[in-house]
Amino acid sequence: MATGKQISIPHDIAQGCSYFMEVMPGLMALVVDFTLQRSVELNQVVNAEDFYIAYYDLSDEIDIQKINHSKVNYHSKLGMIVVDATLKSSYTPSFKMYSFWLLIAKPLLQKYLLGSTGGPKMGQNNTIVFTSHMDSRTRLCILKLRTRNYNDPSFELSLRGTSLQVFAYLVERINENDLVLGKLSELDTAQIIKTQTYLMEQLLGAFPGIDFLAYMAGMSISKYKKLFKRIFKESPNSFFIREKLNLAQELLKSGNFNTINEVGNELGYLKPGYFAAIYKNQFGQLPGEVFVKNRL
Amino acid sequence: MKEVIYRFGVETDWVEELAVNLGGFVRGNFIIVPDDILTGTYYTLQISENITVMLVDVIYHQDVLYKVRNIKNDFAGIYFNLTEGDLVHVMDDISRSVGRWNYNLAITDSQLDIDFVIKSGSKSYGISLFLKKHILREYLSKTGILDEVLNRVFDQKQNTLLHYAHMSSNSWHIINEFRKSTPGSISFNLLLSGLAYNLLADCLDNIMKREIMISKVLRTDLAMILNSQTSLIKKQEGIFPGITSLAAEANMSATKYKKLYKKITGQTPNAFFLNNKLELARDLLGSGQYTIRELAEKLNFTSTSHLSEQFKSYFGMSPKEYAASL
């Protein structure tokens, strides 16, 4: 997909299963849907340096992969990713059943960013990296679009409306979280993202340690810690714990476990009291309040 | 009463005029109106060369008579109206109360000059879309409406495009979600544009389902039907007067009356009458002054269970459930 500084909308993968449209100057929407019958010609090539990509994945945020019938592994991921198009290859978005993309020209997004003075923040060289769980407003919007039939005369209007809405919500979130980072090196950013993705795959185990992560990123520990925090607004450790507890919540509700202790053990929390305490710290309620017992 | 003559269009050259006629001025996308006339948000945005949207979210502190005098013929208006309070239609200098009319979606031709009064104290929430006829036509032709029909509908010499309807629950939800946003915030114009497209999409869906029928109407016919509805509203608590009597009142044959009525309102007179009764029932129930049995009697339902049955099929919940949920 990424050929030098050019990106073409994923033609190879998306062939016969995607819908592409220019929403307004500087804003393009792409729907990748494997149930889509009609093929839309995709030969749009844009200069990656000029765009941000916002990627929304509706498939389950936590994959449960069964290995050998007995061992189970969890692959957690964030449903919403915004990056410079040049950095897109740092993420390998799964072309699952359904995903929604916005391609946003940098000058357009810059127009909607508030600086600390309240005025628009100018300059096109700012890096934006934003990965998150999808907010419910955006999710509902895209879910609604998903129920639409591509052959309906109203589909184009609906896609236009949805894209603008999703873009508006994105603008709000970026402004709330002050995600404009100034100029960051592409390589550094990609390396940091790589470690974040790694962390998401290791949620059952213990925190791999800053030394290891920094080594993985090819940076000094202090540089790694600083950069990670700058991009994701929290330390690697607290990011890891938060995601671990998100997974814990999913598992508690899944109905696949007989006791809360089993869930704790699955995630490597051997002291029930500690698990309950940090869980309550994040969600404001005890694991027992959401736990669904295995009915088998 | 404040009299405001104004015009609309896709091009926004009319905004300044409207502001001045309301005694106010334009600041950015906002129209600032003196507080003694109305308070709230008056906001316009041209989304593309073919579409402009206006948001009016205000409380009126005076009676305001709006007189639409469009000078352009190239566009149609789609109005989503959530005004609470009495709205009075004025045509040929005769006012007709359409207070309990309950239509909250109107599609009208720019050629049709409809005047209306909004009473002091009314809370008005409305989204107006103005779109070029050629683009509306393009959308409509995609829905499978025959060219021949479209030619007739858009024939300016013959008639004007007009349709009143209930907005779909989907439109209502779309607007309700939009109402959470703050006018003037950084994402507001994006959300407003998104709203316009989503509402258009929903309109088109409903046209597909033939829940909205695009049709033309003669001015005189419209006046007759408005009259007829006004009289139905007056008799709202009583028994349905019957088509024969209504048709006679409107100086038409029963067949013509029924056909025209349905064409303009998308409903039969009987359904209009019943739905209005049920809306009234809901309001009265909300006031907490009546029991369901008393209501059935007051509104001339044959029995309490008849009221309950109709109420449930219209609102999706029984009067008892509704009262409990208040």
Side-chain angles (χ1 to χ4, degrees):
Chain A
M1 283 174 286
T3 48
K5 292 293 181 197
Q6 301 282 309
I7 51 164
S8 56
I9 313 295
H11 192 171
D12 41 350
I13 307 162
Q15 180 104 58
C17 57
S18 56
Y19 194 107
F20 178 78
M21 192 180 75
E22 184 173 47
V23 178
M24 62 191 241
L27 185 66
M28 286 169 266
L30 173 71
V31 179
V32 177
D33 181 355
F34 276 59
T35 62
L36 178 56
Q37 297 296 310
R38 188 173 61 171
S39 164
V40 177
E41 265 310 302
L42 296 171
N43 42 18
Q44 195 89 8
V45 177
V46 293
N47 191 339
E49 282 186 336
D50 300 336
F51 283 87
Y52 297 112
I53 285 187
Y55 164 76
Y56 302 86
D57 188 346
L58 273 188
S59 50
D60 291 336
E61 297 211 325
I62 293 171
D63 273 355
I64 300 180
Q65 298 153 344
K66 283 217 163 122
I67 308 163
N68 296 337
H69 299 290
S70 57
K71 182 139 176 53
V72 176
N73 195 24
Y74 302 96
H75 180 115
S76 189
K77 63 185 173 3
L78 299 160
M80 174 178 172
I81 296 163
V82 186
V83 282
D84 280 42
T86 48
L87 288 174
K88 193 170 90 27
S89 48
S90 324
Y91 284 99
T92 41
S94 53
F95 283 93
K96 281 282 175 68
M97 290 303 283
Y98 193 96
S99 60
F100 181 82
W101 305 58
L102 287 179
L103 267 84
I104 308 157
K106 287 188 177 174
L108 179 71
L109 186 57
Q110 296 292 343
K111 217 175 88 184
Y112 287 102
L113 298 181
L114 298 169
S116 46
T117 53
K121 206 171 224 171
M122 296 311 290
Q124 291 192 27
N125 287 328
N126 292 322
T127 304
I128 287 179
V129 180
F130 181 42
T131 64
S132 163
H133 294 285
M134 210 187 305
D135 50 285
S136 53
R137 291 189 302 177
T138 305
R139 179 175 279 274
L140 281 181
C141 241
I142 299 175
L143 278 174
K144 204 164 160 193
L145 181 71
R146 190 182 183 171
T147 63
R148 295 233 163 213
N149 187 331
Y150 297 92
N151 295 317
D152 277 354
S154 62
F155 182 78
E156 236 186 81
L157 287 167
S158 197
L159 177 57
R160 223 176 266 277
T162 306
S163 304
L164 286 162
Q165 238 178 322
V166 169
F167 182 47
Y169 295 153
L170 176 67
V171 162
E172 286 173 16
R173 285 191 74 179
I174 290 182
N175 281 313
E176 271 164 33
N177 298 350
D178 193 21
L179 293 161
V180 185
L181 302 169
K183 188 65 185 163
L184 280 181
S185 137
E186 255 175 72
L187 179 66
D188 286 351
T189 316
Q191 292 297 85
I192 297 286
I193 291 171
K194 197 170 91 186
T195 64
Q196 188 208 29
T197 311
Y198 177 77
L199 284 175
M200 296 289 280
E201 288 166 2
Q202 303 296 322
L203 295 179
L204 289 189
F207 183 64
I210 288 287
D211 306 15
F212 176 81
L213 293 169
Y215 173 75
M216 194 178 162
M219 299 173 195
S220 72
I221 292 173
S222 58
K223 180 178 177 188
Y224 175 74
K225 271 162 62 174
K226 213 169 107 188
L227 264 185
F228 192 98
K229 184 140 196 191
R230 184 156 158 219
I231 295 175
F232 300 118
K233 311 294 172 203
E234 59 188 336
S235 73
N237 194 26
S238 74
F239 168 80
F240 184 71
I241 290 172
R242 199 164 47 79
E243 286 305 318
K244 211 174 162 80
L245 291 171
N246 281 337
L247 177 59
Q249 190 179 42
E250 291 288 324
L251 298 184
L252 285 167
K253 288 177 180 167
S254 71
N256 292 332
F257 295 86
N258 291 315
T259 63
I260 295 171
N261 267 359
E262 273 183 33
V263 177
N265 289 340
E266 186 80 6
L267 291 159
Y269 292 111
L270 300 175
K271 291 180 192 160
Y274 177 68
F275 175 51
I278 56 168
Y279 187 90
K280 181 157 189 186
N281 190 25
Q282 175 160 331
F283 295 109
Q285 52 183 172
L286 288 164
E289 293 175 59
V290 295
F291 182 61
V292 178
K293 197 171 157 42
N294 191 348
R295 292 218 185 95
L296 292 175
Chain B
M1 190 187 309
K2 177 89 183 161
E3 194 177 300
V4 181
I5 298 173
Y6 67 110
R7 65 193 172 91
F8 288 137
V10 175
E11 292 79 15
T12 50
D13 50 348
W14 50 270
V15 176
E16 182 80 39
E17 247 174 69
L18 172 58
V20 169
N21 289 343
L22 277 164
F25 58 93
V26 176
R27 186 193 289 150
N29 293 94
F30 290 93
I31 297 176
I32 312 290
V33 184
D35 283 352
D36 58 326
I37 297 173
L38 54 88
T39 47
T41 307
Y42 229 113
Y43 194 95
T44 53
L45 176 70
Q46 180 161 11
I47 295 171
S48 73
E49 57 180 358
N50 295 319
I51 307 173
T52 288
V53 58
M54 178 170 79
L55 161 72
V56 180
D57 179 9
V58 299
I59 298 172
Y60 287 88
H61 304 298
Q62 283 185 28
D63 290 358
V64 175
L65 167 63
Y66 281 106
K67 291 185 157 183
V68 191
R69 296 292 176 265
N70 285 314
I71 52 175
K72 282 191 178 134
N73 275 334
D74 63 344
F75 73 97
I78 303 180
Y79 308 91
F80 297 84
N81 193 350
L82 299 177
T83 297
E84 294 165 26
D86 278 352
L87 186 73
V88 179
H89 248 291
V90 185
M91 189 182 274
D92 303 327
D93 293 326
I94 302 163
S95 314
R96 297 169 181 86
S97 167
V98 290
R100 193 132 287 284
W101 220 31
N102 233 350
Y103 285 115
N104 44 26
L105 171 65
I107 302 174
T108 70
D109 197 290
S110 50
Q111 275 185 308
L112 192 65
D113 293 336
I114 297 178
D115 299 352
F116 55 95
V117 176
I118 298 184
K119 295 281 190 195
S120 174
S122 296
K123 265 190 207 161
S124 178
Y125 190 93
I127 306 284
S128 310
L129 302 176
F130 309 111
L131 70 164
K132 287 277 167 69
K133 277 183 191 165
H134 72 84
I135 200 96
L136 180 62
R137 195 190 162 124
E138 203 176 289
Y139 291 147
L140 290 176
S141 69
K142 284 192 206 164
T143 66
I145 293 179
L146 296 172
D147 264 2
E148 182 206 344
V149 178
L150 285 176
N151 283 338
R152 256 191 299 130
V153 168
F154 285 96
D155 182 353
Q156 295 186 3
K157 279 193 207 102
Q158 281 196 45
N159 271 315
T160 45
L161 188 62
L162 176 86
H163 185 77
Y164 290 104
H166 289 277
M167 76 172 79
S168 72
S169 61
N170 191 32
S171 284
W172 191 86
H173 288 302
I174 292 169
I175 292 175
N176 221 30
E177 179 63 31
F178 170 76
R179 286 181 84 161
K180 293 174 190 159
S181 57
T182 317
S185 70
I186 185 93
S187 56
F188 188 70
N189 283 353
L190 292 171
L191 288 171
L192 189 56
S193 311
L195 172 79
Y197 285 116
N198 285 331
L199 288 176
L200 278 176
D202 192 54
C203 264
L204 218 53
D205 286 342
N206 289 322
I207 287 169
M208 287 285 291
K209 285 188 268 175
R210 295 292 183 270
E211 276 167 22
I212 295 174
M213 293 151 87
I214 287 296
S215 55
K216 314 158 294 177
V217 99
L218 280 174
R219 224 181 128 83
T220 44
D221 286 348
L222 176 66
M224 279 300 184
I225 296 303
L226 280 176
N227 266 341
S228 189
Q229 290 211 320
T230 310
S231 85
L232 275 180
I233 288 163
K234 283 183 190 148
K235 293 170 192 148
Q236 179 154 252
E237 291 186 6
I239 298 164
F240 185 64
I243 296 287
T244 327
S245 131
L246 287 166
E249 224 179 300
N251 273 328
M252 296 177 200
S253 73
T255 334
K256 185 181 175 189
Y257 176 79
K258 278 203 294 199
K259 212 169 134 191
L260 197 60
Y261 197 99
K262 177 102 200 229
K263 183 177 166 186
I264 290 175
T265 68
Q267 284 180 303
T268 63
N270 204 351
F272 170 82
F273 188 73
L274 179 63
N275 293 349
N276 267 290
K277 230 186 214 316
L278 291 167
E279 292 279 353
L280 180 65
R282 182 181 64 169
D283 286 357
L284 293 174
L285 209 53
S287 74
Q289 291 172 355
Y290 300 91
T291 65
I292 296 163
R293 181 204 293 256
E294 284 165 356
L295 265 186
E297 201 169 303
K298 179 173 168 62
L299 298 179
N300 270 296
F301 282 92
T302 47
S303 65
T304 316
S305 61
H306 183 228
L307 167 62
S308 296
E309 208 176 280
Q310 298 291 339
F311 194 98
K312 178 143 193 182
S313 83
Y314 186 66
F315 293 111
M317 66 198 312
S318 69
K320 209 170 160 186
E321 285 168 329
Y322 179 77
S325 74
L326 286 169

